[in-house]
Amino acid sequence: MTESAERQQILDQVRSFAATSLARSTFVAGESTVPVSGKVLDPEDLVALVDSSLDGWLTAGRFHIDFERALAKYVGSRSAMFVNSGSSANLVALSGLTSSKLGKRALKPGDEVLTVAAGFPTTVNPIIQNGLRPVVVDVELGTYDAIAERLREAVGPKTKAIMMAHTLGNPFDLDVVQELCKEHGLWLVEDSCDALGSTYNGKRTGSFGDTATVSFYPAHHITTGEGGAVFVKSPLVRKQVESFRDWGRDCYCETGHDNTCFKRFEWQLGDLPLGYDHKYIYSHIGYNLKATDMQAALGLSQLAKLDGFVDARKRNFSHLHSRLSGVEGLILPRATPKSDPSWFGFPITLDPEHPVDRNALQRFLDERKIGSRLIFAGNLMKQPAYRNVDFRVVGDMTNTDIIMNRAFWVGVYPGLTIPMLDYIADSIIEFMESANR
């Protein structure tokens, strides 16, 4: 048997095994769990993982390159770089903008970056980790994105960038953000980790920023296990982001390739001797945040199904919204104008004027095996890790604090069925009606 035939035999066996092992069990209300998020795999995903592993090329390889190109094409960006997590993507997406190779536009310690406190920590962490100052504004209830006019008020003489997330897949006001970036010469780092497939004014999120990010953790729109990506418009910026991802090296050769610049032993940088091997010259204090080829293979397989996943999220969101509309005491989510979100979850805020307790509602759902989550850090400034961070706060944080105390979200991911969604809605309605008596 040839090596090719033997490989095909192995993959056929994997496909057959996966068809059984991945089969869904019947949902039984009250007995089966209703996860808030999760991966959706099919036999071709496991085949892709095994196929790539049989190459024995465990770092970036043939699948890696194809995945980056397919990602960039899907989003509508010039290029994409695969990394080991969405949080790593955020780190290098901002760190790349601190490179001295960007000249006068390079971000420097003390520069300010506009953001929000109602979000996930790793949207704000890179600002702090790079010695920059986070400037936070309040968000809207319902959209959970920054209040646009507050962003206008927040721009100051030290403001050099905006770095925000499309909360739970709902795009922030890109008209105002782009206007501010153009008027004041600001960088835009677009955290699209929860928004793959969302659009704003007909254009996919991730394509607007100077740099942008997505996450491929199993909870997200597609998965590579751990994983994420950075999208970049400028070739110059791409080199810096890539350098921070790859140990901070100056060399830009792909893994497994040498001397693509044709002068590997002719460089003279820093105080190094002339001819020092360019593969070992470092222009930044960087990291190793690369992902494996097996992850890329899974990503390619998942990407082929992304449109279907997005459609399912939208259908599930609409079903929950229809079922919960009119329920007293609930502030339901709404899309921002001009946007068509690929919802990551279904956020709900309990009306501050209503006596119902969020913790009691979450415990009620948990007893029924229905998953729920808070809107990430709530008010990040009140988290223990951020007590001594020098935030500049613009205006009050009224809605951010309401979210911290009275908001949560339930799932809409493609693995949820209509009976599961009805069970979620019935349970919330039952709890709220009991509280309203």
Side-chain angles (χ1 to χ4, degrees), residues 371-412:
S372 67
R373 296 288 186 272
L374 300 183
I375 298 186
F376 310 123
N379 183 340
L380 194 67
M381 295 184 291
K382 296 187 178 182
Q383 292 279 350
Y386 300 84
R387 287 174 178 165
N388 298 318
V389 172
D390 181 26
F391 289 93
R392 179 162 72 86
V393 182
V394 178
D396 61 69
M397 291 284 116
T398 301
N399 292 339
T400 297
D401 285 338
I402 290 172
I403 289 166
M404 177 179 64
N405 288 292
R406 300 189 63 76
F408 68 101
W409 59 277
V410 293
V412 295

Side-chain angles (χ1 to χ4, degrees), residues 341-359:
S342 171
W343 291 97
F344 181 63
F346 190 93
I348 299 171
T349 298
L350 301 176
D351 191 329
E353 302 300 319
H354 196 279
V356 70
D357 179 72
R358 180 190 63 192
N359 290 346

Side-chain angles (χ1 to χ4, degrees), residues 11-23 43 46:
L11 298 182
D12 287 343
Q13 289 176 336
V14 169
R15 189 175 286 107
S16 175
F17 170 81
T20 301
S21 67
L22 296 176
L46 297 193

Side-chain angles (χ1 to χ4, degrees), residues 38-65:
K39 61 188 181 297
V40 177
L41 301 176
D42 68 12
E44 296 311 310
D45 294 323
L46 297 193
V47 167
L49 280 167
V50 173
D51 189 23
S52 63
S53 69
L54 292 175
D55 288 351
W57 188 266
L58 304 182
T59 185
R62 63 184 175 105
F63 292 100
H64 186 106
I65 295 169

Side-chain angles (χ1 to χ4, degrees), residues 48-193:
L49 280 167
V50 173
D51 189 23
S52 63
S53 69
L54 292 175
D55 288 351
W57 188 266
L58 304 182
T59 185
R62 63 184 175 105
F63 292 100
H64 186 106
I65 295 169
D66 289 345
F67 185 42
E68 288 185 334
R69 289 173 179 167
L71 274 173
K73 182 178 180 180
Y74 178 85
V75 167
S77 179
R78 181 170 188 146
S79 64
M81 281 164 288
F82 192 29
V83 296
N84 62 359
S85 74
S87 297
S88 294
N90 281 345
L91 177 58
V92 295
L94 185 65
S95 297
L97 302 179
T98 69
S99 172
S100 61
K101 296 190 176 188
L102 299 179
K104 292 181 179 180
R105 289 204 68 196
L107 297 176
K108 301 174 181 62
D111 286 346
E112 293 183 342
V113 181
L114 305 190
T115 189
V116 300
F120 200 74
T122 55
T123 306
V124 178
N125 288 355
I127 301 170
I128 301 165
Q129 290 160 335
N130 279 289
L132 308 169
R133 189 186 190 192
V135 179
V136 295
V137 302
D138 204 7
V139 300
E140 296 178 326
L141 296 181
T143 69
Y144 304 96
D145 286 319
I147 299 172
E149 290 309 310
R150 292 282 180 88
L151 289 172
R152 293 186 193 278
E153 297 168 14
V155 176
K158 293 185 177 181
T159 306
K160 303 298 179 183
I162 299 175
M163 183 173 184
M164 296 190 303
H166 303 296
T167 307
L168 290 169
N170 197 13
F172 51 73
D173 191 330
L174 279 153
D175 283 352
V176 169
V177 167
Q178 288 184 299
E179 174 193 325
L180 292 175
C181 288
K182 183 178 180 180
E183 181 180 351
H184 300 282
L186 310 180
W187 295 106
L188 173 58
V189 182
E190 183 191 358
D191 182 343
S192 193
C193 284

